[in-house]
Amino acid sequence: MQSTSMDYLTIALPKGKLFGLSADLLAKIGYTAEGLSDKSRKLIITNEEKKIKFIVSKTADVPTYVEYGAADLGVIGKDVLLESGKDVYELLDLGFGRCHLMMAVPKDEKRAKLLDYNHTRVATKFPHIAEQFFNRHGMQMEYIKLNGSIELGPIVGLSESIVDIVETGTTLRENGLEEIVSIQDATARLIANRVSFKMKFDRIHTMISDLRTILESEAAAK
Ligand code: PRP
């Protein structure tokens, strides 16, 4: 009999920094497939024996695949998830990919307080999160959406500040920028399509429980 999408668990993995960590963690519970790599030009990689399909996607698109049910599950940073505003279940904090969203400005142009930046321009990959943050502080800003190398914004005079993620702080340091306020902590999350979660409950439930066991034993060993 031919397999249908109900037979498979489809998991969207983000290319880039989270890919290797996601694939390593999933391999520990037996969720792997031959040739699974973010360098591969093959975008769907299937493990027929275990009935798992991996979708290798642009990071920002993972929540979209999951919301529409093209993927049952996905791994994505909390920062990108919040920015996407997608309607998915957040099942598990995977603990890796720790970073935080913050506002930074050129060191030598630092102003006395946050409100002093009111009505200035912010360069960011996260305009929704940034807007929510500044609205909470009663500030009206101009948001300039960039898709990468956000730190360039203030250096080339495109904006007065940036809202971006910081992991090690190296990029800020190397570009003469300084964090002035932290906005949101983030780690990688396992997300699920709402319908898939119900239709494939047993399989997903077992998977979460296996992942929890691994994460707890790794945390205990630290
Ligand atoms: C992210 C982020 C910062 C950098 C922070 O960029 O936008 O630029 O990492 O990391 P650090 O604190 O360890 O220096 P990414 O490498 O994802 O590429 P991008 O700039 O093209 O978005």
Side-chain angles (χ1 to χ4, degrees):
M1 210 170 68
Q2 198 147 21
S3 299
T4 71
S5 68
M6 256 319 277
D7 298 325
Y8 292 89
L9 203 55
T10 303
I11 306 171
L13 296 182
K15 287 186 181 183
K17 287 180 184 171
L18 294 182
F19 184 87
L21 296 162
S22 310
D24 288 351
L25 176 65
L26 291 172
K28 289 178 187 159
I29 59 160
Y31 277 60
T32 185
E34 208 182 314
L36 181 61
S37 155
D38 62 342
K39 305 287 175 296
S40 160
R41 297 304 298 165
K42 206 164 171 210
L43 301 175
I44 301 184
I45 296 145
T46 306
N47 181 335
E48 276 302 342
E49 191 199 327
K50 298 203 165 169
K51 293 280 180 265
I52 303 165
K53 280 185 199 278
F54 292 97
I55 295 180
V56 182
S57 138
K58 281 282 254 188
T59 303
D61 295 334
V62 167
T64 305
Y65 285 110
V66 175
E67 183 186 52
Y68 283 89
D72 301 308
L73 299 170
V75 175
I76 193 65
K78 179 74 177 177
D79 48 336
V80 178
L81 180 59
L82 279 174
E83 180 64 24
S84 77
K86 296 294 182 196
D87 184 22
V88 296
Y89 283 132
E90 193 182 313
L91 300 179
L92 198 56
D93 183 345
L94 302 173
F96 57 78
R98 191 168 293 280
C99 60
H100 71 280
L101 266 161
M102 50 91 237
M103 177 186 183
V105 299
K107 254 187 179 151
D108 44 13
E109 286 161 35
K110 227 171 119 179
R111 302 182 185 180
K113 50 187 195 309
L114 183 62
L115 265 179
D116 294 339
Y117 294 94
N118 203 7
H119 299 296
T120 61
R121 293 161 303 175
V122 193
T124 185
K125 224 188 314 192
F126 302 92
H128 295 114
I129 299 178
E131 190 172 10
Q132 282 166 13
F133 170 77
F134 289 112
N135 283 350
R136 278 203 304 277
H137 286 83
M139 294 169 71
Q140 277 195 333
M141 307 292 275
E142 185 179 338
Y143 301 95
I144 302 177
K145 171 84 163 66
L146 293 179
N147 295 302
S149 304
I150 314 300
E151 292 80 1
L152 260 179
I155 298 173
V156 299
L158 185 66
S159 67
E160 279 71 31
S161 64
I162 62 168
V163 164
D164 197 19
I165 54 169
V166 171
E167 214 177 311
T168 62
T170 310
T171 316
L172 285 184
R173 254 192 322 277
E174 291 194 354
N175 292 288
L177 300 176
E178 190 180 311
E179 173 174 341
I180 57 165
V181 57
S182 179
I183 297 177
Q184 166 84 41
D185 288 331
T187 45
R189 308 294 159 104
L190 181 71
I191 58 172
N193 172 268
R194 290 184 177 273
V195 175
S196 301
F197 186 69
K198 292 189 184 77
M199 303 291 283
K200 301 181 183 180
F201 180 81
D202 290 345
R203 225 183 141 183
I204 293 175
H205 195 258
T206 304
M207 182 189 179
I208 296 172
S209 146
D210 291 349
L211 282 172
R212 276 217 177 95
T213 306
I214 298 284
L215 293 171
E216 279 163 16
S217 75
E218 286 183 351
K222 272 186 189 158

